[in-house]
């Protein structure tokens, strides 16, 4: 199938001939890189693609992941017309059933989400579900959602069509060509050594599936994923299967079911999968399968027999056991690695490779050519994982659980149970004695709330921690609370060009005098958000940047890659310093009581030095929660003594849930919620914080957006029904039409109502009543442009 000899140079080398590699090659060629090549050590689809059940279900938990799979649907349905090669696209829809009330709520939330994203989805009764799937036992089914546009493909045919399309434009494929080394120089890829010779290149797309961790290591990059065994049962023909059926999703029983060659295909994502240690599957694993394991599959088989009585008499063709790779959070990796420039990942597909492949390949090609995906995919950013997740020990523990959570009900507050306690805060022991309930962020265990007496029962209604969080918000509002910001990333920028460098890379007013605190957006050439950070100017030549907890790898990489030509050094000091936010009206008294009365002389958005419990601190006067106080930075080893002094003087610890509630009341936007790389500061109401004279990356793009009439489209909502529980991503309607959707939701304890921030398509006046669709139930909400609490910000400033 390959033609000619291996070239000595190619602009882009795609490694791996599965769905991701074939799609990436196709899209590179479509976008003009017609001399890209694909290297496959065996044959196309011979890794995990060939045995994929190849379901293509469009709805995902975010707008852009959904958009990505919608692109796959459109691509697969027209490939035959374009290339003459059939892709085996069968569009028979999918049926999701619920056998308990929480699952019913879950699928109704999905139905509401589908409407917001323009995907047809309809609630139907158990009786109608039975009509669509007559072989199903529907006795315990409470309801279902029908999605008519979903379908499936033939994975091998899709890959053949994509490669045919790519080759017609000039791209080349080389099978039986294994990569034996990736060549790098000064942290950048420059070529690959293969079994057939060496190819120099400018970029590599690593689409090597379950072997990607080892392949990435060849280039010095971290690619945390691990293969697990993945099972589905195939039967011989069964009476009642005539033609193609919809895919039946029985997620309460961990099953997906459809026809296959007149028989049944019954697949599962069992609660705890079986991991495969690295090195077990070698390059000789070509079109390979693992041994059948009926003992492991038996509980799923019992579930399947309950759902499909016809299985009792069906003849089994085989129990297929094929490997599939999973990442520590269940989302794939797409984009350039932090460690190695020019090395781009398209892997860790978590068993949705065929569904995602069309859109993910397009976005990977777009990233290689244009430096960013076609739309925000930061949830799949290759730089999002803490290095500690790349350990085999942690991956062996976590990957089987990730497989099992594939069909979980999306409860708020849900946490992984495996690979925990990887990184502990300096005050971990103190928080455990205060009965903290922890959540894991970037490997850190962060307190979500305190005073936990027993494990919370997860639910869609008012959560078990409601009163705990209320107590913490009250402490911050009426006395004083301590919020731990220690896991936030910290970057020291030092050198004679520190100011000039930050004027270029930050949109805010970073040239303020030493002693200043600056909030700033970090933008790309498109004028959209790469990050939003807080900056403390410590001296003429020294700044300290505070970035999001899970953004340290990404942001440090961004700044380093824009530092050429500047005399600056960049150092990650995240673990050197702890940061404690002391917030609330009692803060001034507490500062005096602990021997640091000079903190009260620090002006708003200024920082100063003091000593608490005999230890040096740097306190910055700002507030993320809308109450007066300071973010106090100290050396990590001094945090316990400082915390002891603050709590002895009356401050109470408060967790992330309280902070989020108070942030939403203040209308403060956060990366990954209200801010992302699709939006500029103009659409998020933050353009007042950008320098009018420009001179920073993205300035021209912002000016263009303003000239085009862009305005803020983020607003605050107060729900009228105190018992409503919005969670985020709910459709917002005005006059029966979808206006936008919620981003962050909480209960606003200071305003006494459920609240939300929302993105809308067009501005809406304050006081307008809109509707929010929460799992099919409609709730009224009132619009506010601006904060819901203390709109003038008087409580945040020193009295």
């Amino acid at each position: 199938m390959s033609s000619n000899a291996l070239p000595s140079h190619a602009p882009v080398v795609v490694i791996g001939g599965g769905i991701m590699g074939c799609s990436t090659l196709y899209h590179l060629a479509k976008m003009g890189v017609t001399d890209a090549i694909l290297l496959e050590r065996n044959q196309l689809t011979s890794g995990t693609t060939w045995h994929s059940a190849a379901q293509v279900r469009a709805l995902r938990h975010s707008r852009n992941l959904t958009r990505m799979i919608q692109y796959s649907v459109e691509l697969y349905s027209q490939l035959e017309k374009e290339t003459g090669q059939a892709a085996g696209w069968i569009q028979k829809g999918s049926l999701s059933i619920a056998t308990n009330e929480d699952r019913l709520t879950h699928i109704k939330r999905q139905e509401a989400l589908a409407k917001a994203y323009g995907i047809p989805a309809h609630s139907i009764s158990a009786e109608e579900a039975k009509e669509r799937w007559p072989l199903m036992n529907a006795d315990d089914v409470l309801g279902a959602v029908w999605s008519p546009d979903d379908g499936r493909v033939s994975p091998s045919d899709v890959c053949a069509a994509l490669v045919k399309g790519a080759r017609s434009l000039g791209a080349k494929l080389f099978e039986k060509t294994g990569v034996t080394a990736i060549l790098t120089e000064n942290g950048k890829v420059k070529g690959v050594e293969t079994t057939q010779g060496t190819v120099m290149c400018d970029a590599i797309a690593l689409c090597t599936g379950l072997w990607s961790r080892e392949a990435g290591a060849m280039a010095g990059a971290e690619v945390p994923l691990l293969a697990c065994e993945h099972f589905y049962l195939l039967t011989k023909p069964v009476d009642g299967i005539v033609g193609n059926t919809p895919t039946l999703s029985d997620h309460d029983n961990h099953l997906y079911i459809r026809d296959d060659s007149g028989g049944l295909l019954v697949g599962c994502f069992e609660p705890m999968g079986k991991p495969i240690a690295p090195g077990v599957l070698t390059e000789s694993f070509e079109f390979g399968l693992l041994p059948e394991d009926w003992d492991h599959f038996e509980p799923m088989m019992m579930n399947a027999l309950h759902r499909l009585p016809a299985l009792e008499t069906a003849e089994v063709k085989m129990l297929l056991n094929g490997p599939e790779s999973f990442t520590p959070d269940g989302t794939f990796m797409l984009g350039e690695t932090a460690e190695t420039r020019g090395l781009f990942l398209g892997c860790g597909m978590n068993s949705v490779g065929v569904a995602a492949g069309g859109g993910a390949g397009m976005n990977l090609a777009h990233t290689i050519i244009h430096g960013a995906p076609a739309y925000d995919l930061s949830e799949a950013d290759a730089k999002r994982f803490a290095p500690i997740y790349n350990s085999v020990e942690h991956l062996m523990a976590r990957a089987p659980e990730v497989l099992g959570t594939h069909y979980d009900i999306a409860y708020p507050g849900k946490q992984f149970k495996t690979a925990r306690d990887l990184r502990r805060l300096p005050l971990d022991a103190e928080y455990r004695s205060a009965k903290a309930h922890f959540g894991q962020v970037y490997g850190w265990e962060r307190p979500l709330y305190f005073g936990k007496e027993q494990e919370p029962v997860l639910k869609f209604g008012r959560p078990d921690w409601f009163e705990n969080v209320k107590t913490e918000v009250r402490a911050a509002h009426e006395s004083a609370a301590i919020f731990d910001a220690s896991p936030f990333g910290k970057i020291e920028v030092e050198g004679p060009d520190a100011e000039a460098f930050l004027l270029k890379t930050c949109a805010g007013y970073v040239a303020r005098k030493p002693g200043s605190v600056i909030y700033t957006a970090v933008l790309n050439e498109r004028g959209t958000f790469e990050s939003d950070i807080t900056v403390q100017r410590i001296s003429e030549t020294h700044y300290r940047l505070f970035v999001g907890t899970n953004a340290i790898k990404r942001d440090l990489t961004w700044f380093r890659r824009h530092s050429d030509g500047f005399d600056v050094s960049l150092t990650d000091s995240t673990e050197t310093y702890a940061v404690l936010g002391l917030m609330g009206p009692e803060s001034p008294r507490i500062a005096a009581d602990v021997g640091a009365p000079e903190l009260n002389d620090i002006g708003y958005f200024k920082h100063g030095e003091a000593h608490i419990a005999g230890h040096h601190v740097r306190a910055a006067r700002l507030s993320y929660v809308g109450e007066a106080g300071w973010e106090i930075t100290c050396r990590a080893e001094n945090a316990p003594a400082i915390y002891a002094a603050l709590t002895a003087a009356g401050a109470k610890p408060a967790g992330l849930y309280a902070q989020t509630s108070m942030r939403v009341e203040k209308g403060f936007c956060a990366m990954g919620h209200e801010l992302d790389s699709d939006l500029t500061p103009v659409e998020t109401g933050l353009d007042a914080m950008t320098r009018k004279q420009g001179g920073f990356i993205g300035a021209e793009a912002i000016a263009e957006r303003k000239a085009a009439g862009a305005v803020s489209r983020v607003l605050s909502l107060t729900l009228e029904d105190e018992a409503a529980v919005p969670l985020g991503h709910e459709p917002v309607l005005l006059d029966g039409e979808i206006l936008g959707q919620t981003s962050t939701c909480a209960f606003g304890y200071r305003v006494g109502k459920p609240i939300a921030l929302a993105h809308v398509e067009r501005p809406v006046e304050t006081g307008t009543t809109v509707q929010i669709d929460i799992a099919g139930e409609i709730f009224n909400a009132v619009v506010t442009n601006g904060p819901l609490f203390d709109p003038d910000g008087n409580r945040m400033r020193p009295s």
Side-chain angles (χ1 to χ4, degrees), residues 104-118:
L104 194 58
T105 300
H106 173 88
I107 65 173
K108 284 184 174 175
R109 284 184 60 80
Q110 289 191 305
E111 179 194 5
L113 201 57
K115 288 173 181 166
Y117 298 157

Side-chain angles (χ1 to χ4, degrees), residues 318-340:
M318 71 183 300
L319 176 60
L320 185 141
N321 178 4
E324 178 56 62
S325 60
F326 294 86
T327 62
D329 64 358
T331 300
F332 59 94
M333 287 178 271
L334 188 144
E336 195 171 22
T337 64
E339 298 83 8
T340 310

Side-chain angles (χ1 to χ4, degrees), residues 491-787:
I491 302 169
E492 309 295 326
V493 180
E494 297 174 90
D497 290 348
E499 181 182 293
F501 169 65
L502 291 175
L503 282 170
K504 180 74 176 172
T505 51
C506 296
Y509 297 85
V510 290
R512 298 186 192 278
K513 297 197 298 282
S516 298
V517 179
I518 306 107
Y519 166 82
T520 177
V522 179
L523 307 175
N524 50 45
E525 297 288 357
R526 306 184 306 284
T528 63
F529 284 90
E530 286 293 322
S531 190
D532 76 323
I533 67 175
T534 312
V535 178
Q536 293 182 15
R537 187 167 196 177
I538 292 168
S539 71
E540 291 292 335
T541 58
H542 181 193
Y543 290 79
R544 182 171 294 144
L545 316 184
F546 294 80
V547 309
T549 301
N550 57 3
I552 180 62
K553 197 174 190 179
R554 189 185 71 213
D555 287 1
L556 189 55
T557 302
W558 173 264
F559 283 113
R560 282 188 173 145
R561 290 181 181 172
H562 288 81
S563 65
D564 291 351
F566 293 97
D567 186 358
V568 291
S569 68
L570 300 169
T571 312
D572 179 358
S573 61
T574 303
E575 298 196 33
T576 306
Y577 297 107
V579 180
L580 303 179
L582 176 65
M583 302 289 160
E586 289 278 293
S587 298
R589 175 194 62 75
I590 290 173
D593 284 1
V594 298
E598 60 268 48
L599 296 191
N600 290 310
D601 299 328
I602 298 172
Y604 193 53
F605 265 75
K606 295 285 187 285
H607 64 81
E609 299 175 78
H611 284 80
I612 298 174
H615 297 294
H616 176 271
V617 300
R618 183 179 301 280
R621 170 81 72 177
L622 71 156
S623 176
Y624 202 44
V625 296
E627 302 288 348
W630 308 271
E631 290 193 355
I632 299 168
T633 302
C634 63
R635 292 194 68 83
E637 63 269 21
N638 298 334
I642 291 166
Y643 176 83
L646 296 176
T647 51
K652 299 278 196 298
L656 213 49
Y657 288 159
Q659 178 179 293
T660 297
S661 162
M662 299 173 87
R663 168 177 82 77
V664 177
E665 286 178 318
K666 288 298 296 174
F668 293 150
C669 296
M671 278 301 290
H673 299 277
E674 292 70 46
L675 312 177
D676 63 34
S677 65
D678 287 339
L679 298 165
T680 75
V682 183
E683 292 97 352
T684 52
L686 293 169
D687 53 317
M689 308 247 189
T690 61
R691 305 196 306 275
K692 304 296 171 282
Q693 71 274 31
F696 54 88
I697 296 168
E700 295 80 4
I702 286 184
E704 284 171 21
R705 291 259 186 139
K706 277 186 174 170
V711 292
S712 176
R713 294 189 280 114
V714 175
L715 46 76
S716 300
L717 299 172
T718 308
L719 284 82
E720 292 175 358
D721 186 339
E722 202 179 308
V725 185
L727 302 175
H729 294 298
E730 289 95 358
V732 179
L733 301 100
L734 180 61
D735 301 327
E737 289 193 5
I738 291 174
L739 177 69
Q741 65 182 116
T742 60
S743 48
T744 315
C745 301
F747 190 88
Y749 295 92
R750 291 176 296 190
V751 299
K753 290 279 171 68
I755 55 173
L757 292 171
H759 283 288
V760 289
E761 299 298 322
R762 61 183 189 279
V764 184
E765 285 184 23
T766 294
T768 305
T769 297
V770 295
Q771 285 73 44
I772 299 179
D773 179 344
I774 305 177
E777 203 174 337
I778 302 299
F779 294 88
N780 284 339
V782 178
V783 169
T784 301
N785 286 290

Side-chain angles (χ1 to χ4, degrees), residues 122-301:
H122 320 285
S123 277
I124 61 174
S125 65
E127 292 72 31
E128 194 178 335
K130 172 82 171 168
E131 283 170 28
R132 292 185 183 276
W133 243 93
L135 290 180
M136 165 175 67
N137 165 22
D139 292 351
D140 55 349
V141 175
L142 302 181
V145 168
W146 166 245
S147 304
D149 284 4
D150 290 344
R152 61 185 192 257
V153 291
S154 160
S156 300
D157 290 343
V158 165
C159 289
L162 289 166
V163 167
K164 189 173 181 183
R167 294 173 77 193
S168 72
L169 295 167
K172 291 185 177 175
L173 160 71
F174 298 89
E175 296 182 294
K176 302 292 181 189
T177 306
V179 173
T180 53
I182 294 174
L183 307 175
T184 63
E185 189 176 318
N186 299 325
K188 187 176 187 320
V189 304
K190 61 175 206 174
V192 293
E193 286 181 2
T194 81
T195 53
Q196 308 298 322
T198 298
V199 184
M200 306 310 285
C201 63
D202 305 312
I204 293 171
L206 200 70
C207 304
T208 44
L210 58 90
W211 295 281
S212 297
R213 184 171 175 274
E214 291 76 14
M218 282 196 235
E222 293 170 353
V223 187
L225 56 75
L226 189 90
C228 289
E229 300 185 19
H230 180 52
F231 299 88
Y232 61 77
L233 177 76
L234 291 170
T235 76
K236 292 181 177 172
V238 169
D239 285 347
I241 298 282
V242 183
N244 295 121
T245 61
T247 299
L248 175 62
S249 298
D250 179 9
H251 292 170
D252 290 323
N253 285 303
H254 317 288
L255 302 174
Y256 62 91
I257 301 162
R258 65 168 169 81
D259 67 283
D260 188 272
S261 308
L264 289 164
L265 182 156
V266 181
C268 68
F269 286 92
E270 66 275 27
M272 189 58 84
K274 292 177 67 182
I276 304 169
V280 169
L281 304 178
T282 64
E283 62 274 9
S284 63
F285 192 79
E286 180 186 2
F287 295 110
L289 292 171
L290 297 158
E292 293 185 347
D293 186 341
W294 283 100
D295 287 346
H296 185 77
F297 189 70
E298 186 183 16
M300 300 300 106
M301 188 67 186

